[in-house]
Amino acid sequence: MLLTCLHSLRWADRVTAHRPYPDLPSLLAAADEAVYDLSPQDVAEALAMESLPDLPDGTYEVAHTALNAAYAAYEAKFGHVFVISVNGVSPDEALDHVLATIRSRLTNDPEDERQVTAEELRNLAKGRLVELLAGEGP
């Protein structure tokens, strides 16, 4: 189940190694800590299974050209997919948020972007854990 939240064996092993957790905040804190300890290879493993962020229906058709160009530029520069958590972003603002963020992150150097990517993976894993435990996840 943890691998549905973040596709990293090391992360899942680290989270399960310290169970049982007394409460959800303790589990989320452990999940955060486990992301901070991922090696570049662990991050690459997690990124290999990530997909485009969920945006409102029809968004990709409307902005297909702009998104494809931005994603292609990002992947060419950094060698992996662009990941971003859109939790807390309204559906009406999601497309603009993703486009602005990817354009901004294209200016990062590879090491800075590695840190930002790890933080986004942490946010994605935390959101997915909460959904999973609330019965809303896969």
Side-chain angles (χ1 to χ4, degrees):
M1 287 182 3
L2 286 173
L3 291 174
T4 66
C5 298
L6 186 68
H7 303 282
S8 166
L9 292 174
R10 182 173 182 188
W11 177 81
D13 287 344
R14 299 264 339 258
V15 173
T16 58
H18 300 288
R19 65 182 180 197
Y21 293 98
D23 52 31
L24 180 59
S26 299
L27 171 62
L28 296 177
D32 279 354
E33 186 65 32
V35 169
Y36 292 129
D37 293 338
L38 294 181
S39 70
Q41 294 80 15
D42 297 324
V43 170
E45 175 188 27
L47 288 169
M49 296 301 291
E50 286 297 329
S51 59
L52 298 176
D54 290 331
L55 297 175
D57 289 339
T59 300
Y60 285 111
E61 291 79 18
V62 171
H64 181 74
T65 302
L67 282 171
N68 278 349
Y71 289 139
Y74 183 92
E75 289 184 29
K77 181 172 182 176
F78 298 111
H80 58 79
V81 298
F82 174 75
V83 291
I84 185 171
S85 172
V86 292
N87 291 340
V89 177
S90 76
D92 293 340
E93 297 173 0
L95 174 61
D96 290 337
H97 177 73
V98 170
L99 282 171
T101 302
I102 196 169
R103 288 177 179 147
S104 172
R105 286 173 52 188
L106 277 166
T107 65
N108 288 347
D109 67 52
E111 180 56 29
D112 288 342
E113 184 56 24
R114 186 189 72 72
Q115 292 174 2
V116 172
T117 298
E119 183 67 13
E120 289 297 331
L121 287 172
R122 185 187 68 77
N123 290 333
L124 288 167
K126 184 187 282 187
R128 291 169 181 162
L129 268 172
V130 170
E131 288 176 7
L132 184 67
L133 293 173
E136 300 169 12

